[in-house]
Amino acid sequence: MCNVKSSEIAFFLGAELIGKDLSLSGVSTLGEPERNTVMFSKKKPTSLFTCNSLLILCPRGSLHETRLPLENNSFLEVDNPRLAFAKILNKFFIKKIKPIIHMSAVISKTAKIHPTVTIGAHCIIENGVEIGEGTIVKHNVVISENVKIGKFCYIKSGAVIGEEGFGFDFEEDRTPIRIPHIGSVVVGDHVEIGSNTTVARGTIGLTIIGDNTKLDDHVHIAHNCSLGKNIIVTACAELSGGVVLSGNNWVGPNCSIMQKITIDSGAV
């Protein structure tokens, strides 16, 4: 069990500690607070009148209006309590795993895998793949030939990266003829790719996923898409071939974007 002092968290966040310097063993929620835990409130915390031994993250300027027992708890006033809570979880309360490659993973001898990478059960890593420092690949993931994955990425179970996309032309009698896809995929740093998400290789060039972009579960990124930095693509969204997201975009659940559309930076 993790034990961390309120003062350590205050120092980590660069915030002033108000109240007792508690020893904390976990986190809890506003609806079900537990002793010796960290929690956050996006509004002024006024509903926890009987709770003690909590570190509460709250908005700046909210404590002068609260009726909480300040002498029995500790508080940190921050700009964004939810963001601060996420940072605390990652820093103090998430168990760090040791890098391991599962014995059932099939990895090409030509793949370049950083020694700090974790690869789960039944993964397939094909020829020429490169995976950077600290990346975690969960179970049953397929990474096709020549795909490049950056540092500190998180690839969830069942993802398929770099298989051929869906491209055909037609004979006069409408018989479909497959267009071979001989490009690849480049994934930046700190990218997340969700469970059962597919990222198709470029037809000739590249499909690109920029730094800090996060793809939810059941997302499809078609051939030759180019996604910039800091993009969120939520569950079951689909980007057709050649779509460009310039950066800092939000793509909502079940959204479909037709081929070769460009969406400017910051658009939702």
Side-chain angles (χ1 to χ4, degrees), residues 238-241 243 245 251 255-261 263:
E238 178 272 332
L239 277 61
S240 299
V243 165
L245 299 182
V251 179
C255 178
S256 291
I257 302 177
M258 296 300 290
Q259 61 269 21
K260 299 184 179 180
I261 288 176
I263 297 179

Side-chain angles (χ1 to χ4, degrees), residues 100-108 118-126 137-144 155-161 163 196:
I100 187 172
I101 295 178
H102 195 276
M103 62 183 299
S104 65
V106 178
I107 301 175
S108 167
T118 291
I119 298 177
H122 305 294
C123 291
I124 307 293
I125 312 296
E126 296 188 347
V137 180
K138 299 291 281 187
H139 312 297
N140 300 298
V141 171
V142 175
I143 304 177
S144 294
I155 302 172
K156 294 167 69 176
S157 297
V160 179
I161 305 171
E163 293 277 0
N196 299 318

